[in-house]
PDB file of all heavy atoms in Angstrom:
ATOM      1  N   ASN B 122      19.112 112.135   1.903  1.00  0.00           N
ATOM      2  CA  ASN B 122      18.563 110.839   1.496  1.00  0.00           C
ATOM      3  C   ASN B 122      19.538 110.015   0.682  1.00  0.00           C
ATOM      4  O   ASN B 122      19.294 108.852   0.415  1.00  0.00           O
ATOM      5  CB  ASN B 122      17.296 111.037   0.658  1.00  0.00           C
ATOM      6  CG  ASN B 122      16.228 111.738   1.448  1.00  0.00           C
ATOM      7  OD1 ASN B 122      16.270 111.733   2.672  1.00  0.00           O
ATOM      8  ND2 ASN B 122      15.294 112.362   0.754  1.00  0.00           N
ATOM      9  N   LEU B 123      20.639 110.655   0.247  1.00  0.00           N
ATOM     10  CA  LEU B 123      21.604 109.922  -0.557  1.00  0.00           C
ATOM     11  C   LEU B 123      22.253 108.848   0.285  1.00  0.00           C
ATOM     12  O   LEU B 123      22.354 108.959   1.501  1.00  0.00           O
ATOM     13  CB  LEU B 123      22.698 110.864  -1.064  1.00  0.00           C
ATOM     14  CG  LEU B 123      22.302 111.839  -2.147  1.00  0.00           C
ATOM     15  CD1 LEU B 123      23.475 112.734  -2.467  1.00  0.00           C
ATOM     16  CD2 LEU B 123      21.878 111.083  -3.379  1.00  0.00           C
ATOM     17  N   ALA B 124      22.689 107.791  -0.387  1.00  0.00           N
ATOM     18  CA  ALA B 124      23.451 106.765   0.315  1.00  0.00           C
ATOM     19  C   ALA B 124      24.762 107.381   0.762  1.00  0.00           C
ATOM     20  O   ALA B 124      25.416 108.076  -0.012  1.00  0.00           O
ATOM     21  CB  ALA B 124      23.707 105.593  -0.614  1.00  0.00           C
ATOM     22  N   LEU B 125      25.137 107.150   1.985  1.00  0.00           N
ATOM     23  CA  LEU B 125      26.387 107.636   2.554  1.00  0.00           C
ATOM     24  C   LEU B 125      26.627 109.108   2.271  1.00  0.00           C
ATOM     25  O   LEU B 125      27.502 109.467   1.488  1.00  0.00           O
ATOM     26  CB  LEU B 125      27.564 106.840   1.977  1.00  0.00           C
ATOM     27  CG  LEU B 125      27.684 105.427   2.453  1.00  0.00           C
ATOM     28  CD1 LEU B 125      28.848 104.776   1.767  1.00  0.00           C
ATOM     29  CD2 LEU B 125      27.864 105.387   3.943  1.00  0.00           C
ATOM     30  N   PRO B 126      25.824 110.018   2.834  1.00  0.00           N
ATOM     31  CA  PRO B 126      26.041 111.437   2.575  1.00  0.00           C
ATOM     32  C   PRO B 126      27.421 111.862   3.047  1.00  0.00           C
ATOM     33  O   PRO B 126      27.907 111.383   4.063  1.00  0.00           O
ATOM     34  CB  PRO B 126      24.936 112.117   3.396  1.00  0.00           C
ATOM     35  CG  PRO B 126      24.528 111.116   4.403  1.00  0.00           C
ATOM     36  CD  PRO B 126      24.755 109.786   3.798  1.00  0.00           C
ATOM     37  N   GLY B 127      28.023 112.750   2.279  1.00  0.00           N
ATOM     38  CA  GLY B 127      29.316 113.281   2.694  1.00  0.00           C
ATOM     39  C   GLY B 127      30.499 112.543   2.140  1.00  0.00           C
ATOM     40  O   GLY B 127      31.596 113.065   2.109  1.00  0.00           O
ATOM     41  N   GLY B 128      30.306 111.314   1.663  1.00  0.00           N
ATOM     42  CA  GLY B 128      31.418 110.586   1.075  1.00  0.00           C
ATOM     43  C   GLY B 128      32.437 110.171   2.116  1.00  0.00           C
ATOM     44  O   GLY B 128      32.128 109.435   3.040  1.00  0.00           O
ATOM     45  N   GLY B 129      33.657 110.636   1.986  1.00  0.00           N
ATOM     46  CA  GLY B 129      34.708 110.239   2.916  1.00  0.00           C
ATOM     47  C   GLY B 129      35.498 109.055   2.402  1.00  0.00           C
ATOM     48  O   GLY B 129      36.161 108.364   3.154  1.00  0.00           O
ATOM     49  N   PHE B 130      35.394 108.791   1.081  1.00  0.00           N
ATOM     50  CA  PHE B 130      36.109 107.647   0.526  1.00  0.00           C
ATOM     51  C   PHE B 130      37.201 108.099  -0.429  1.00  0.00           C
ATOM     52  O   PHE B 130      37.567 107.380  -1.333  1.00  0.00           O
ATOM     53  CB  PHE B 130      35.144 106.714  -0.191  1.00  0.00           C
ATOM     54  CG  PHE B 130      34.227 106.013   0.747  1.00  0.00           C
ATOM     55  CD1 PHE B 130      32.923 106.427   0.903  1.00  0.00           C
ATOM     56  CD2 PHE B 130      34.698 104.960   1.493  1.00  0.00           C
ATOM     57  CE1 PHE B 130      32.093 105.794   1.779  1.00  0.00           C
ATOM     58  CE2 PHE B 130      33.872 104.318   2.385  1.00  0.00           C
ATOM     59  CZ  PHE B 130      32.565 104.735   2.528  1.00  0.00           C
ATOM     60  N   GLU B 131      37.718 109.326  -0.211  1.00  0.00           N
ATOM     61  CA  GLU B 131      38.742 109.796  -1.124  1.00  0.00           C
ATOM     62  C   GLU B 131      40.032 109.019  -0.890  1.00  0.00           C
ATOM     63  O   GLU B 131      40.403 108.716   0.242  1.00  0.00           O
ATOM     64  CB  GLU B 131      38.998 111.298  -0.930  1.00  0.00           C
ATOM     65  CG  GLU B 131      37.856 112.187  -1.385  1.00  0.00           C
ATOM     66  CD  GLU B 131      36.723 112.237  -0.372  1.00  0.00           C
ATOM     67  OE1 GLU B 131      36.989 111.988   0.810  1.00  0.00           O
ATOM     68  OE2 GLU B 131      35.580 112.503  -0.794  1.00  0.00           O
ATOM     69  N   GLY B 132      40.699 108.696  -1.979  1.00  0.00           N
ATOM     70  CA  GLY B 132      42.024 108.105  -1.842  1.00  0.00           C
ATOM     71  C   GLY B 132      42.045 106.600  -1.724  1.00  0.00           C
ATOM     72  O   GLY B 132      43.109 106.021  -1.585  1.00  0.00           O
ATOM     73  N   ILE B 133      40.892 105.928  -1.744  1.00  0.00           N
ATOM     74  CA  ILE B 133      40.940 104.469  -1.760  1.00  0.00           C
ATOM     75  C   ILE B 133      40.224 103.967  -3.000  1.00  0.00           C
ATOM     76  O   ILE B 133      39.331 104.631  -3.525  1.00  0.00           O
ATOM     77  CB  ILE B 133      40.327 103.840  -0.488  1.00  0.00           C
ATOM     78  CG1 ILE B 133      38.903 104.328  -0.274  1.00  0.00           C
ATOM     79  CG2 ILE B 133      41.177 104.119   0.718  1.00  0.00           C
ATOM     80  CD1 ILE B 133      38.230 103.653   0.883  1.00  0.00           C
ATOM     81  N   GLY B 134      40.616 102.801  -3.467  1.00  0.00           N
ATOM     82  CA  GLY B 134      40.018 102.233  -4.670  1.00  0.00           C
ATOM     83  C   GLY B 134      38.548 101.932  -4.425  1.00  0.00           C
ATOM     84  O   GLY B 134      38.113 101.792  -3.280  1.00  0.00           O
ATOM     85  N   ASN B 135      37.761 101.833  -5.519  1.00  0.00           N
ATOM     86  CA  ASN B 135      36.323 101.685  -5.266  1.00  0.00           C
ATOM     87  C   ASN B 135      35.935 100.267  -4.858  1.00  0.00           C
ATOM     88  O   ASN B 135      34.923 100.082  -4.197  1.00  0.00           O
ATOM     89  CB  ASN B 135      35.491 102.213  -6.433  1.00  0.00           C
ATOM     90  CG  ASN B 135      35.810 101.529  -7.718  1.00  0.00           C
ATOM     91  OD1 ASN B 135      35.684 100.321  -7.795  1.00  0.00           O
ATOM     92  ND2 ASN B 135      36.238 102.287  -8.710  1.00  0.00           N
ATOM     93  N   ALA B 136      36.779  99.267  -5.201  1.00  0.00           N
ATOM     94  CA  ALA B 136      36.515  97.922  -4.670  1.00  0.00           C
ATOM     95  C   ALA B 136      36.649  97.960  -3.152  1.00  0.00           C
ATOM     96  O   ALA B 136      35.813  97.417  -2.407  1.00  0.00           O
ATOM     97  CB  ALA B 136      37.505  96.924  -5.257  1.00  0.00           C
ATOM     98  N   HIS B 137      37.668  98.662  -2.685  1.00  0.00           N
ATOM     99  CA  HIS B 137      37.916  98.833  -1.255  1.00  0.00           C
ATOM    100  C   HIS B 137      36.744  99.567  -0.596  1.00  0.00           C
ATOM    101  O   HIS B 137      36.239  99.159   0.455  1.00  0.00           O
ATOM    102  CB  HIS B 137      39.211  99.633  -1.113  1.00  0.00           C
ATOM    103  CG  HIS B 137      39.814  99.537   0.241  1.00  0.00           C
ATOM    104  ND1 HIS B 137      41.112  99.845   0.489  1.00  0.00           N
ATOM    105  CD2 HIS B 137      39.280  99.172   1.415  1.00  0.00           C
ATOM    106  CE1 HIS B 137      41.364  99.654   1.766  1.00  0.00           C
ATOM    107  NE2 HIS B 137      40.275  99.258   2.348  1.00  0.00           N
ATOM    108  N   ALA B 138      36.284 100.642  -1.271  1.00  0.00           N
ATOM    109  CA  ALA B 138      35.203 101.449  -0.700  1.00  0.00           C
ATOM    110  C   ALA B 138      33.922 100.631  -0.570  1.00  0.00           C
ATOM    111  O   ALA B 138      33.236 100.689   0.459  1.00  0.00           O
ATOM    112  CB  ALA B 138      34.969 102.683  -1.558  1.00  0.00           C
ATOM    113  N   ILE B 139      33.610  99.837  -1.608  1.00  0.00           N
ATOM    114  CA  ILE B 139      32.414  99.001  -1.537  1.00  0.00           C
ATOM    115  C   ILE B 139      32.555  98.004  -0.398  1.00  0.00           C
ATOM    116  O   ILE B 139      31.631  97.768   0.383  1.00  0.00           O
ATOM    117  CB  ILE B 139      32.193  98.278  -2.886  1.00  0.00           C
ATOM    118  CG1 ILE B 139      31.777  99.280  -3.947  1.00  0.00           C
ATOM    119  CG2 ILE B 139      31.118  97.208  -2.755  1.00  0.00           C
ATOM    120  CD1 ILE B 139      31.675  98.692  -5.324  1.00  0.00           C
ATOM    121  N   GLY B 140      33.763  97.422  -0.285  1.00  0.00           N
ATOM    122  CA  GLY B 140      34.003  96.447   0.778  1.00  0.00           C
ATOM    123  C   GLY B 140      33.818  97.049   2.156  1.00  0.00           C
ATOM    124  O   GLY B 140      33.367  96.370   3.084  1.00  0.00           O
ATOM    125  N   LEU B 141      34.145  98.346   2.296  1.00  0.00           N
ATOM    126  CA  LEU B 141      34.030  98.971   3.617  1.00  0.00           C
ATOM    127  C   LEU B 141      32.592  99.073   4.093  1.00  0.00           C
ATOM    128  O   LEU B 141      32.336  99.053   5.286  1.00  0.00           O
ATOM    129  CB  LEU B 141      34.655 100.372   3.596  1.00  0.00           C
ATOM    130  CG  LEU B 141      36.171 100.432   3.612  1.00  0.00           C
ATOM    131  CD1 LEU B 141      36.632 101.860   3.537  1.00  0.00           C
ATOM    132  CD2 LEU B 141      36.713  99.781   4.860  1.00  0.00           C
ATOM    133  N   VAL B 142      31.647  99.248   3.166  1.00  0.00           N
ATOM    134  CA  VAL B 142      30.275  99.496   3.619  1.00  0.00           C
ATOM    135  C   VAL B 142      29.328  98.313   3.428  1.00  0.00           C
ATOM    136  O   VAL B 142      28.343  98.189   4.142  1.00  0.00           O
ATOM    137  CB  VAL B 142      29.658 100.730   2.932  1.00  0.00           C
ATOM    138  CG1 VAL B 142      30.337 101.976   3.420  1.00  0.00           C
ATOM    139  CG2 VAL B 142      29.736 100.613   1.437  1.00  0.00           C
TER     140      VAL B 142
END
Side-chain angles (χ1 to χ4, degrees):
Chain B
N122 298 339
L123 288 177
L125 288 178
F130 291 102
E131 291 79 24
I133 55 175
N135 58 58
H137 198 161
I139 290 174
L141 284 178
V142 291

